[in-house]
Amino acid sequence: MTERYVLDLQEVDETQVAVVGGKGAHLGGLSRIEGIRVPAGFCVTTDAFRRIMAEAPSLDDRLDQLSRLNPDDREAIRTLSAQIRRTVEGIAVPDDLTAAITRALARLGEQAAYAVRSSATAEDLPTASFAGQQDTYLNVVGPTAILQHVSRCWASLFTERAVTYRQRNGIDHRTVHMAVVVQRMVFPHASGILFTADPVTGNRKVATVDAGFGLGEALVSGLVNPDVFKVRHGEVVAKAIAAKQRAVHALPTGGTQEVAIDSRRQEQPALTDAQVVRLVQLGRRIEAHFGRPQDIEWCLVDDGFQIVQSRPITTLFPIPETGDQENHVYVSVGHQQMMTDPMKPLGLSMWQLTAMVPMHAAGGRLFVDVTRRLAAPASRAGLLDVMGRGDPLVRDALETVLDRDDFVPSLPDAGPGGPPTGGASATIETDPAIVTELIERSQVSIAALERDIRTKTGPALFEFLLEAFAEHKRLLSDPLSMQAIMAGMEATWWLNDTLQEWLGEKNAADTLTLSAPDNVTSEMGLALLDVADVIRPHSEVVAFLQGVEDEGFLDELAKLAGGTEARDAIEAYLDRYGMRCVGEIDITRPRWRERPTTLVPVLLDNVRNFEPGAAERRFEQGRQKALQKEQDVLSRLRALPDGDRKAGEAKRMIDRVRTFIGYREYPKYGIVSRYFVYKQALLEEAERLVQAGVLPEKEDIFYLTFQELHDVVRSNQADDRLIQQRKDALRSYHALTPPRVLTSDGEAVTGAYRRDDVPVGALIGLPVSAGTIEGRARVILDIAEADLEAGDILVTTFTDPSWSPLFVAVAGLVTEVGGLMTHGAVIAREYGLPAVVGVERATRLIRDGQRIRVHGTDGYVEILP
């Protein structure tokens, strides 16, 4: 009976987290790896913890009270968790449990010194690192002291920090149990931490060693700066030796103390290069055993290394799986598509199935492998040019990788690189009828899709969808459509480059494209102003909308004075734009039609901030400004040498840009329109699966890939465990920042702006819409929480087309992600908003409510005092 309370470390492995907690399970696993030395010890199991908790029935009520507290009520959590800790520490350890622990100590040496370490069952999981949540006690001597510290470890499950962490992460306090690891104390010459991947860059081939004298507590607690060594391919490639003034040493009577280090030793390295290399070899062995990069605590004792902890590094961005050993360079799709949040598995696989190039998933994001295109000189030049125009940080990151001569192989131009990126050359006439025809083609195709999908269910629906995806790709790759997009973009580039050369004017195209025709995204923002005009006269409707929380509010509107007109206006808007939403490239995201309350705050802002007829006035003012700019540019050009020719060329390009630039937004509108049709059909299928008891809820299909869902529909069987794993994984992906460029070594390359023409302290970005504006920053991460006043400047992570309704209400725009031709930039120019995009960490560096100045012509943002 007593044996299950204590297990020797040699008896456990990483499968026994429920019995010995995360730390105990990892240590057990470590002690089984050949060549890895772990200090001898044993685990007091979770059975012992449950036995102790059962000794105090009052704990049950207190845990109930604890789970009902708000995670933000720190005072109540502090008080109640302290009571629980005192109760746990006060429980007398039963005799049989005391005997089991004492027997284990007798085997290892009763009067030796021990480390007593908490090991919770929810610790160091792949999806959540609980590092430092519970307590460790060093140099504990004698059975009485050890039993007392075991009780303290049990109680440390209820520190204020651990309780708050569990509440914020939705972890039930009753499901987490505490084991305790008791290990022979080692008295090291040096100790520290080894990361088997570089924790800063993510590079899996570079290991980082932090080292200091004495016990590792000095490093962990931040008492001293460590020596830092970097090792690649078995050699030290960089090192920084710190002045280590203090160390933590064990006292003979128990406990630890800080000591000063002799001044002659302070500058000495804590490890030799040979020791560092040997330590990294051990680390690689441990990493291979656990199957992922590790954060390892080590001690150097008599020229031999002992390992006292190993846990996964949870902050690394995963690497796309290729199945080969070649070098690869990946570019983020999310940074091109203005959506850097993680996508659910169905969203990822649907985008992969409908995209024009192969895409690889990692960390809930998509990447394109550009290695082949970088390898050949001609395709490399084309790729860098397109990337640079889109996002200079991506170009700089790619050039950083290319500067490492050995990483990207060199291929001849005729190789499999294909033509340079950039699509079909724009050789079409400047004819508005082309755009009209393209829009009509798209509408006909979507109408046919809606008609034909209605009768399809079960496996037949999936066969039909695969055909629909082929049509989807055919529309996207339509040569005429590609030519129209490129014509608008190339005309913009020509105007900006040439007018700067001829007239010394920066970004002239920004004004020349104001209120361009046929832009479905800018029309969407203006159309919501028209909806606000319908609502504004009816005070009862406005008051009702201010309290709306339920998605069924449209049906309620009809009961109010003016409510029928309001409902009809909103319904008509949703008929045209209801398939849109934030993050719309992920089919699983709720669309406006599914969640119309999202639009209510923006509508109310429009009612409050605008006069009737604003949409038409805004559009006309933009058109007139563009016309005036055109006349001004042409008259200045005519005054130059060879002026008539220059003015003639510019006029042709201005006509071209106004004809085609609006169409740039249409293909995405077509994609998202089709997506909504696919989604509705798949959700009807999901409803049938729920009715048949195959799935608990409809949204569970979002955690399966398209192929997996097809299999579930065919077999009427679903893997609940897989769906739960995918939900857990998605939660962990939210904590990761996707890199613009990622290599197969795992290195996240961010890129930098190489500029010296900005004021000190300014935030650098990419200028995408000319002008300078000063105002209050509104940092908004969710469109449904918009609360804007006239003159506000919108600061957010990314803007896809669904943000356009907010653009009419703001005076300027700052985003963390974006390029010259991404949606936010195009719409900012059409509305005449000064805008700077690609500003790293803008939403963290700019505080909501601060006054800022946006330099849209020169590409930087100043935070004002």
Side-chain angles (χ1 to χ4, degrees):
M1 177 66 188
T2 55
E3 286 315 305
R4 62 182 200 167
Y5 291 142
V6 170
L7 289 172
D8 193 87
L9 271 182
Q10 300 283 338
E11 297 176 72
V12 300
D13 63 24
E14 50 274 42
T15 62
Q16 288 162 281
V17 172
V19 183
V20 294
K23 188 174 289 160
H26 266 89
L27 282 167
L30 280 168
S31 64
R32 289 161 174 245
I33 306 171
E34 197 179 330
I36 302 299
R37 288 167 59 200
V38 175
F42 59 89
C43 300
V44 182
T45 66
T46 51
D47 285 346
F49 173 76
R50 277 190 285 269
R51 168 89 185 269
I52 288 293
M53 294 295 278
E55 296 279 322
S58 67
L59 283 171
D60 254 8
D61 295 342
R62 288 197 175 143
L63 286 178
D64 282 342
Q65 279 175 269
L66 197 59
S67 58
R68 286 197 293 271
L69 292 179
N70 182 326
D72 295 323
D73 189 348
R74 296 187 54 180
E75 195 48 51
I77 289 177
R78 186 176 299 133
T79 308
L80 191 51
S81 56
Q83 284 174 9
I84 294 172
R85 284 200 305 280
R86 276 199 300 278
T87 306
V88 173
E89 284 187 42
I91 297 168
V93 181
D95 292 346
D96 55 342
L97 184 43
T98 302
I101 293 171
T102 315
R103 270 202 303 279
L105 284 170
R107 283 200 301 275
L108 292 173
E110 207 164 274
Q111 288 310 312
Y114 289 87
V116 182
R117 315 171 73 192
S118 311
S119 178
T121 53
E123 195 175 37
D124 298 338
L125 304 177
T127 55
S129 179
F130 286 68
Q133 294 281 328
Q134 281 90 32
D135 295 350
T136 283
Y137 302 97
L138 297 177
N139 202 29
V140 184
V141 180
T144 311
I146 285 168
L147 281 164
Q148 185 190 356
H149 284 87
V150 168
S151 286
R152 281 191 191 167
C153 284
W154 288 328
S156 76
L157 193 61
F158 302 102
T159 60
E160 184 190 341
R161 193 169 45 160
V163 166
T164 307
Y165 185 91
R166 288 197 292 272
Q167 277 176 280
R168 286 195 194 288
N169 286 279
I171 298 166
D172 180 354
H173 300 298
R174 293 168 186 282
T175 61
V176 184
H177 299 121
M178 181 64 86
V180 182
V181 175
V182 180
Q183 260 179 306
R184 278 291 291 260
M185 197 55 203
V186 289
F187 301 101
H189 162 73
S191 58
I193 298 162
L194 155 64
F195 297 96
T196 64
D198 189 319
V200 179
T201 66
N203 194 327
R204 310 302 201 267
K205 301 249 174 94
V206 175
T208 302
V209 175
D210 290 5
F213 293 122
L215 290 166
E217 295 308 288
L219 301 190
V220 176
S221 63
L223 181 66
V224 297
N225 287 328
D227 296 339
V228 180
F229 301 86
K230 292 196 181 293
V231 175
R232 186 188 175 99
H233 300 318
E235 63 177 305
V236 175
V237 290
K239 60 180 161 184
I241 307 304
K244 299 167 287 299
Q245 290 161 347
R246 309 190 71 71
V248 174
H249 282 180
L251 291 167
T253 51
T256 60
Q257 78 173 84
E258 274 180 45
V259 294
I261 293 176
D262 181 318
S263 59
R264 285 165 306 193
R265 276 188 69 213
Q266 288 180 7
E267 305 274 353
Q268 280 181 4
L271 295 177
T272 66
D273 284 9
Q275 287 171 327
V276 171
V277 169
R278 201 165 80 224
L279 175 61
V280 170
Q281 284 168 346
L282 296 176
R284 292 280 175 234
R285 203 174 289 180
I286 294 168
E287 177 182 67
H289 175 83
F290 289 118
R292 52 186 300 174
Q294 298 287 302
D295 159 355
I296 297 165
E297 291 173 32
W298 56 268
C299 295
L300 177 67
V301 188
D302 304 331
D303 202 38
F305 287 103
Q306 299 213 21
I307 305 299
V308 292
Q309 173 69 302
S310 185
R311 62 171 75 90
I313 309 175
T314 55
T315 53
L316 298 175
F317 201 87
I319 306 171
E321 286 175 23
T322 54
D324 64 35
Q325 296 302 306
E326 306 290 311
N327 287 349
H328 294 270
V329 182
Y330 302 99
V331 171
S332 158
V333 173
H335 285 82
Q336 318 285 310
Q337 289 294 339
M338 298 301 91
M339 216 295 272
T340 53
D341 291 348
M343 293 164 71
K344 296 191 181 87
L346 187 64
L348 287 168
S349 67
M350 293 284 278
W351 194 259
Q352 284 172 306
L353 285 164
T354 51
M356 301 310 297
V357 291
M359 291 183 178
H360 306 267
R365 278 78 168 190
L366 289 168
F367 294 87
V368 172
D369 186 342
V370 295
T371 322
R372 280 292 177 82
R373 275 187 270 168
L374 284 177
S379 58
R380 178 190 312 145
L383 178 73
L384 290 175
D385 183 48
V386 168
M387 290 294 168
R389 287 186 185 277
D391 181 343
L393 291 176
V394 172
R395 177 177 182 140
D396 187 76
L398 289 172
E399 287 176 334
T400 303
V401 176
L402 285 167
D403 285 344
R404 297 174 194 153
D405 298 337
D406 55 343
F407 195 79
V408 177
S410 284
L411 291 174
D413 268 332
T421 321
S425 175
T427 52
I428 50 174
E429 293 300 308
T430 303
D431 178 1
I434 292 174
V435 173
T436 312
E437 183 197 334
L438 284 167
I439 290 174
E440 212 164 274
R441 276 188 206 176
S442 175
Q443 286 170 339
V444 166
S445 171
I446 290 164
L449 173 67
E450 286 174 327
R451 183 188 66 234
D452 297 343
I453 205 168
R454 283 194 193 120
T455 55
K456 308 290 187 289
T457 62
L461 169 66
F462 288 82
E463 302 303 326
F464 172 81
L465 281 171
L466 288 170
E467 288 168 27
F469 297 163
E471 163 69 358
H472 181 126
K473 288 162 91 162
R474 192 189 63 72
L475 280 169
L476 273 184
S477 60
D478 178 342
L480 190 62
S481 176
M482 300 288 281
Q483 286 176 321
I485 292 169
M486 288 310 295
M489 283 167 41
E490 285 172 359
T492 306
W493 297 334
W494 187 93
L495 286 165
N496 279 338
D497 294 346
T498 312
L499 295 180
Q500 178 151 12
E501 185 190 326
W502 288 347
L503 299 174
E505 187 162 340
K506 274 187 183 176
N507 302 356
D510 293 1
T511 311
L512 293 166
T513 52
L514 286 170
S515 301
D518 296 315
N519 187 320
V520 71
T521 310
S522 58
E523 285 165 9
M524 176 169 76
L526 297 172
L528 203 62
L529 288 174
D530 291 337
V531 177
D533 286 354
V534 176
I535 289 167
R536 195 178 290 106
H538 306 294
S539 55
E540 219 180 311
V541 172
V542 174
F544 169 76
L545 288 175
Q546 279 161 346
V548 156
E549 284 178 7
D550 177 27
E551 298 302 343
F553 75 92
L554 288 170
D555 298 334
E556 300 292 306
L557 273 176
K559 300 171 188 168
L560 308 173
T564 308
E565 297 94 305
R567 186 194 61 195
D568 291 349
I570 295 170
E571 283 285 2
Y573 185 85
L574 289 172
D575 284 346
R576 177 112 210 250
Y577 304 110
M579 78 298 281
R580 307 223 85 148
C581 68
V582 172
E584 60 193 10
I585 70 167
D586 181 351
I587 198 170
T588 72
R589 290 283 191 105
R591 311 281 137 179
W592 290 344
R593 172 52 87 189
E594 296 169 302
R595 202 174 284 175
T597 52
T598 310
L599 290 172
V600 171
V602 194
L603 253 179
L604 290 169
D605 281 348
N606 287 351
V607 168
R608 190 175 69 242
N609 294 333
F610 292 92
E611 297 292 314
E616 199 174 333
R617 272 197 309 281
R618 286 285 295 261
F619 188 79
E620 190 49 34
Q621 281 164 356
R623 214 175 62 80
Q624 291 301 331
K625 260 192 202 162
L627 217 56
Q628 282 163 2
K629 182 72 176 174
E630 177 180 333
Q631 286 161 355
D632 168 57
V633 162
L634 296 178
S635 68
R636 282 161 64 201
L637 286 173
R638 285 192 195 101
L640 297 175
D642 199 16
D644 285 350
R645 179 187 64 80
K646 286 174 176 166
E649 275 186 54
K651 172 67 177 148
R652 276 197 299 283
M653 284 301 176
I654 292 169
D655 289 350
R656 198 162 177 79
V657 87
R658 290 197 67 80
T659 301
F660 292 116
I661 202 66
Y663 177 70
R664 158 82 183 78
E665 291 292 297
Y666 205 87
K668 184 84 169 269
Y669 176 77
I671 291 171
V672 176
S673 300
R674 295 180 72 88
Y675 256 37
F676 194 38
V677 181
Y678 306 153
K679 181 180 190 178
Q680 287 168 305
L682 289 171
L683 280 174
E684 281 173 29
E685 207 53 49
E687 185 56 54
R688 280 190 282 279
L689 292 170
V690 171
Q691 296 299 327
V694 178
L695 290 174
E697 46 195 65
K698 280 198 306 192
E699 278 74 24
D700 283 348
I701 67 165
F702 297 161
Y703 296 93
L704 299 169
T705 65
F706 181 80
Q707 185 55 55
E708 288 165 349
L709 178 54
H710 189 178
D711 294 342
V712 168
V713 167
R714 261 203 301 254
S715 66
N716 261 341
Q717 284 180 314
D719 182 344
D720 298 339
R721 272 216 330 266
L722 175 71
I723 291 170
Q724 190 51 52
Q725 278 168 1
R726 296 272 175 80
K727 288 179 180 178
D728 292 342
L730 185 76
R731 263 202 299 278
S732 72
Y733 296 154
H734 274 284
L736 300 173
T737 304
R740 281 178 163 81
V741 170
L742 179 68
T743 73
S744 47
D745 285 353
E747 186 177 1
V749 193
T750 45
Y753 293 107
R754 315 279 173 189
R755 289 175 52 190
D756 49 16
D757 58 342
V758 296
V760 175
L763 309 180
I764 303 177
L766 180 66
V768 294
S769 185
T772 302
I773 191 76
E774 197 173 298
R776 177 179 72 151
R778 290 309 320 269
V779 180
I780 297 176
L781 302 178
D782 180 351
I783 191 172
E785 286 163 18
D787 178 15
L788 297 162
E789 299 291 341
D792 282 349
I793 295 168
L794 173 62
V795 180
T796 188
T797 41
F798 57 78
T799 58
D800 56 12
S802 70
W803 286 79
S804 303
L806 258 63
F807 283 24
V808 297
V810 297
L813 173 70
V814 178
T815 68
E816 295 183 350
V817 174
L820 257 176
M821 283 297 165
T822 46
H823 304 277
V826 172
I827 306 307
R829 289 194 288 273
E830 292 230 348
Y831 286 169
L833 299 179
V836 180
V837 302
V839 179
E840 291 277 84
R841 298 175 53 233
T843 58
R844 280 170 274 180
L845 296 172
I846 300 170
R847 285 198 314 278
D848 189 51
Q850 272 184 322
R851 286 196 70 74
I852 61 173
R853 190 181 295 132
V854 177
H855 296 262
T857 310
D858 295 313
Y860 64 92
V861 180
E862 289 179 283
I863 299 175
L864 303 175

